[in-house]
Amino acid sequence: GQLRWCSGKVAGRDVVRMPRYPTLEPQGMLRGMDYIGTVSFGFSGGGLAALSGMDLLGTCGVGTLTALGGGTIRDALMLGKAPFWTEETEYVTIAVVSAAAAFAAIHFQNLDDKEAAALMDHPAVAITDTLGVAAFCIIGANGALKMAMPG
């Protein structure tokens, strides 16, 4: 089901739950930043795979692994639960579409290596990557708080 915004204490520590989809409230904006990071990681991972000569399937696989791998490791190994994307399947869609967009941008526009590298170094990629890393750090720290890990 859909997580509703709530705050409270778990093992004496403050925790925050995000809504399922982005909203204009602070916790919903965090979800939006999480989506932006997923797009950015999927695009950059997929873009590098496409630049390496992978086909569309390989590009989407590498982009999805780049976008979802960290959270999967966090959930499966550190938190001992099913990866987040098994319930929030929109993340898989976001990652695959982002990687496919990178493939299309590189292959269907007939970019040479220099132009394709410039696309991957575009400031928009760096900005969205930064927003995503910030969101991923906050979400990971909140997960540690939920598990009452040492701070």
Side-chain angles (χ1 to χ4, degrees):
Q2 180 175 350
L3 284 177
R4 297 270 179 211
W5 160 250
C6 79
S7 63
K9 298 213 180 257
V10 173
R13 296 172 185 245
D14 291 325
V15 295
V16 174
R17 290 195 182 127
M18 294 187 300
R20 175 72 185 260
Y21 301 105
T23 66
L24 294 178
E25 296 173 351
Q27 64 281 3
M29 289 182 195
L30 180 60
R31 177 68 74 180
M33 288 172 52
D34 193 27
Y35 281 10
I36 290 168
T38 303
V39 169
S40 182
F41 280 38
F43 187 86
S44 63
L48 291 175
L51 285 173
S52 297
M54 289 192 167
D55 63 4
L56 179 60
L57 181 63
T59 297
C60 289
V62 170
T64 300
L65 181 62
T66 303
L68 305 180
T72 300
I73 290 170
R74 177 201 65 221
D75 290 348
L77 297 180
M78 296 178 71
L79 299 179
K81 64 178 194 169
F84 67 99
W85 48 264
T86 60
E87 291 184 16
E88 299 173 323
T89 57
E90 63 271 14
Y91 281 93
V92 176
T93 303
I94 291 168
V96 170
V97 169
S98 299
F103 181 87
I106 290 169
H107 286 290
F108 297 141
Q109 292 186 18
N110 295 320
L111 301 179
D112 62 29
D113 288 344
K114 187 175 181 180
E115 292 170 326
L119 174 67
M120 299 311 300
D121 288 335
H122 193 277
V125 174
I127 291 168
T128 58
D129 182 71
T130 302
L131 288 172
V133 168
F136 298 162
C137 287
I138 293 167
I139 293 164
N142 195 52
L145 288 173
K146 287 180 190 176
M147 296 302 295
M149 300 257 181

